[in-house]
Amino acid sequence: MSDQQDAEELHLRDNEPKKAKQGSGKRLNDRQRVDIIQMAENSKISKRQLADKFGVSEAAIRKLLLKKDEFLRRYYETPEDIRDQRLRGKSTRISLQEPDSCGVGGGSIPHLAAPTTTSRSPTVQSYSTSMYPSDDPWKQGLDAMLAKVIPFLTNFIQNKGQLQMSSNILDVTISASVATAEQTQVEKEEKEDTVDKPDGTDAEEIDWVGFSRMLRDIRRGFHRYPETGYQEVRTQAFIKRFCEQALHIPGKNIREMASTGLVVDVCYENATISISDKRKLPVIAFRADIDALPIEELNDHLPYCSTQKKGCKELRKRKKRKSAAHQPSSPIKQEEGDEPSHQALSDSNGTTTTVTRTCTVSHDVAMDAPMTNQLPAPSTITTTTIGAPPPPSAGGDDDDEFQVSTAAAHMCGHDGHMAMVLGLCALVVRSAHLLPQETFVRFVFQPAEEGPGGAMKMIEDGALTDVNEIYGLHNAPFPLYSVHVRPGAVMAHEVEFSIDIHGIGGHGSAPQQCVDPILVGSAVVQTLQSVVSRSLSPMDTAVVSVTQFHGGDTNNVISSKVSLAGTIRDFDLELAKTIQDRVATLVHSTCAAYGATANVHFLDGYAPVINPHVETRQVQQVAMDMGLYVSEEGLPLMAAEDFSYFLQERKGCYFFLGTKEDGDSDKMRALHSNQYDFNDKAIPLGIRLFMGILQSRFKCVLYSVEEMQAFQVAMERIMMNVTIV
């Protein structure tokens, strides 16, 4: 019985109508597609009736109507003699013949190659003025923007220049284009035998317009989707895919560091880096900080304003990390007024425990995030060093989700810094065949500059391995086209301090029975003003500022405790030790005079940024050769920056690039202002400075002065909304 049933089932299965293979249906030409769209818009005919009339599926009709705008645009931009013959799945694209190696064409009209059904060459209409789309892809997210960037850069780095198409090309027939292409190929081969291509120059015109638009869009994309320190998961993923998929940098040359940081190496012909102990030329690194500030942006008039508003919650996939359970606990940056962060940890028995972390991180009031007020554990004098490793993952599987519920915005210009270094990386890859073979270039994308400090962690993970020199810049509200740099100290050493003063509380009507800590605290504030003026040499530069004073809860009660907090700035670590000792001595002696006690806590911040002399003079020379205004005015700054740790390990230079134009408001260019916006005109300036440093140190020419100037002009015309023909 079972054999008979099996035979019947096999017979039925063999006689079942086979499902048609997807894409194997009737092919419509473009004229028929236009008819379908017009009939659907101008009559009450149903999709089912249209499908029956043209012999296709109803799903095909729906798909066509959904994409009708895109199809009609492409249809009317296609030459009239071929637009009606194109079938679904058949390409009749016209590929463009590249100019000869000397940049001399065979005529005033670019020649056309024979069309093929498998050609992937750009269509004619893609070469209007620039191959890069001008539809602001950053509005759709970083992934959507990358989808537009990859095809453009793939063409850009292959030395395919921008070709201008005249209107009469559209009237050229396919048969004529085939004959012309064959003739052009013969002429091209003959000219290649007689004329040599100049060293260091490209045959075609570089598409600086598209390249500038791309960098502007990348900067705005970063600005729209910011991430704070050690949370730069999407930012890191974008940079990595940009280098791998758009620039085709070998995967072995791209390494993740410091949890959300990245290091990218580019060498001769963009090959895989070979390990070598001896190199004839120095290895040069360029650094970009990638984190945002935990503040809310108030530039709602900008279309690329930050989407991370205060109280806005977002569900995101946590980044995979190795050995997450063994990472040490570390503070997580928290904005003042926010609730403590919570993490769910699973023990070996499967029990889940919620752990609340509240932390204090040292910040800089001018260049770093604002500090939250948290007092230390009771002690006489304690010192803590900033630069903790990234926070551990929350445990569980790698695909667990977490929420981000704090404001974030690129109010310090790190979005512009990333655009500069990515643009530099793209240009170096494009001319990698001109790099010296004895060295390579490293691009360092560092997290958590605003706090708790990512430079030390990057160094620990090997960011400076094989590197001889490292360079970095920061935008500043100096005039545009100016570079501010000097040898020696350019940014300060930072130390935060907090003081707990303990007295005896009581009723406000009986102060004689109390030791009033508010009175004692007032005396301490006055006494600390003498540290710089009476304890240091007049030749030393330092600042001691008390910035917080908290005490008392009600009007008729004398509190038993007050809390003070402030900051110390200096340019010498030995001087900092002297200041800390003097502060502690004055606090304790003053409190003892009033019968009170005190606990003093120091939180050691970033070290001072010290520029070496030789490398700084080279940067100044590069800037002057560009025609920029070079000055030491405004330096050193009392702000702090963890690039100092890179310069403690290697030679290099850290300098400032002006971004302020006439008519710009102070808030628009002031760092850490909630109305700040980066000036995109500075992007090519930063790239040109880095490129000049690279070419000077390697003694090679990747791009001519004229090419770099054309890059600058393209960006400025885009920013002025000037139509480029």
Side-chain angles (χ1 to χ4, degrees), residues 65-82:
L65 295 179
L66 285 174
K67 298 183 177 181
K68 63 180 181 180
D69 293 336
E70 178 183 352
F71 165 74
L72 290 175
R73 177 187 59 79
R74 178 173 57 83
Y75 174 79
Y76 289 114
E77 290 177 350
T78 304
E80 295 181 0
D81 55 339
I82 65 172

Side-chain angles (χ1 to χ4, degrees), residues 243-361:
C243 295
E244 286 181 338
Q245 301 177 21
L247 301 183
H248 306 289
I249 297 175
K252 292 184 178 180
N253 293 359
I254 303 174
R255 292 173 291 160
E256 296 182 9
M257 293 186 179
S259 181
T260 52
L262 209 65
V263 164
V264 180
D265 295 334
V266 177
C267 68
Y268 175 72
E269 292 188 344
N270 198 23
T272 302
I273 301 295
S274 60
I275 300 177
S276 175
D277 295 332
K278 296 182 179 180
R279 299 184 185 276
K280 296 181 180 179
L281 294 175
V283 175
I284 300 179
F286 298 94
R287 174 263 208 171
D289 32 19
I290 67 175
D291 59 322
L293 285 164
I295 60 178
E296 186 168 0
E297 183 175 4
L298 299 183
N299 291 324
D300 293 335
H301 62 285
L302 296 177
Y304 48 88
C305 180
S306 171
T307 58
Q308 287 292 102
K309 301 296 184 180
K310 191 171 184 178
C312 175
K313 293 189 177 181
E314 180 185 6
L315 197 62
R316 293 169 49 186
K317 290 287 185 180
R318 192 181 72 248
K319 181 174 177 57
K320 294 182 179 180
R321 296 191 180 98
K322 297 180 180 180
S323 304
H326 301 288
Q327 292 183 2
S329 174
S330 61
I332 303 174
K333 192 171 184 179
Q334 180 180 343
E335 187 179 3
E336 185 176 357
D338 287 349
E339 296 181 359
S341 60
H342 301 277
Q343 292 186 346
L345 304 179
S346 299
D347 58 21
S348 58
N349 298 325
T351 304
T352 301
T353 305
T354 300
V355 179
T356 302
R357 286 192 176 95
T358 304
C359 63
T360 302
V361 180

